[in-house]
Amino acid sequence: MVEHPDNPITRLQTPPDANGRPAAVLVLFGGDPAADSLPDDATVLLTQRASSLRQHSGQVAFPGGAADPGDGGAVGTALREAAEETGLDADGVDPLATFDPIFVPPSGFEVTPVLAYWRRPGPVRVIDTAEVARVEAVPLRELLDPARRFVVRHPRGYQGPAFDVRGMLVWGFTAGVLTGILDTAGWTVPWDTADVRDLETVLAAAGSELS
């Protein structure tokens, strides 16, 4: 496994003075490894956080969370949290790389994305309804559909990429990481980056709200 390759998500790099609590997320892709380009069955595992949570309620995210002392690093944290949230069998997962930590100001976490391949896909589901409302292996073909992509504008002025897929709005940290990886892999299909939409409006259309 490669440790800390160049981070393709340069827009999200941690500020030099950040001092956040360590956390990690599992960016888990599945699909036929023999394919020459994007596999037809390629997926990425996403969760939707419970609406009752105090922070990031209702947001779509990668499985993950805060580091525990016994995790042994970001990979251990990402796999443990994914198993706790989705029932993922970590034995069927091959960690490939870790990216540089990214500071997430609203929560104060310094999050390390762990890129992994789902070598042996198995069933996943919501384990704890107090934490997670939905678990979905989303087809990348759907995510990459230009009709599902646009830019969202936060009330504070922040703008970033977003995906509208399967009734879920993917934005913020998760959309930024996905965009960086998909662009780097050469899988991105040209889409209208001038299509800028109000975040609160599109969240409401997806049955959620800004928290």
Side-chain angles (χ1 to χ4, degrees):
M1 184 183 67
V2 179
E3 295 291 337
H4 301 293
D6 292 337
N7 189 347
I9 314 106
T10 54
R11 183 182 61 80
L12 296 173
Q13 285 184 343
T14 302
D17 58 349
N19 185 24
R21 182 183 175 190
V25 294
L26 187 67
V27 187
L28 182 60
F29 290 96
D32 182 2
D36 292 332
S37 57
L38 176 66
D40 289 335
D41 60 346
T43 62
V44 63
L45 186 63
L46 297 176
T47 68
Q48 186 164 22
R49 293 170 61 83
S51 59
S52 58
L53 290 174
R54 184 168 57 87
Q55 289 185 329
H56 307 300
S57 62
Q59 286 192 19
V60 178
F62 302 113
D68 281 351
D71 288 341
V75 172
T77 297
L79 291 174
R80 174 185 55 77
E81 285 282 342
E84 291 175 359
E85 292 178 358
T86 73
L88 177 74
D89 179 5
D91 289 340
V93 174
D94 292 334
L96 302 175
T98 59
F99 294 120
D100 294 333
I102 299 166
F103 184 63
V104 181
S107 63
F109 283 112
E110 197 167 68
V111 183
T112 299
V114 176
L115 181 66
Y117 173 61
W118 206 354
R119 171 176 41 82
R120 192 173 65 241
V124 287
R125 65 195 187 283
V126 173
I127 299 297
D128 184 356
T129 56
E131 293 270 346
V132 175
R134 183 175 176 183
V135 175
E136 186 100 19
V138 176
L140 288 190
R141 296 283 182 186
E142 294 184 22
L143 271 179
L144 291 166
D145 181 353
R148 300 180 185 275
R149 303 198 63 181
F150 47 89
V151 175
V152 289
R153 182 192 299 110
H154 193 281
R156 294 182 180 177
Y158 157 82
Q159 293 188 15
F163 304 80
D164 180 7
V165 60
R166 301 201 166 194
M168 299 184 293
L169 178 69
V170 186
W171 65 284
F173 172 91
T174 305
V177 171
L178 275 174
T179 297
I181 292 174
L182 296 173
D183 287 352
T184 301
W187 290 340
T188 299
V189 178
W191 57 284
D192 185 5
T193 58
D195 180 3
V196 181
R197 307 180 191 181
D198 176 71
L199 175 59
E200 291 179 304
T201 300
V202 290
L203 277 172
S208 187
E209 61 183 16
L210 193 60
S211 60

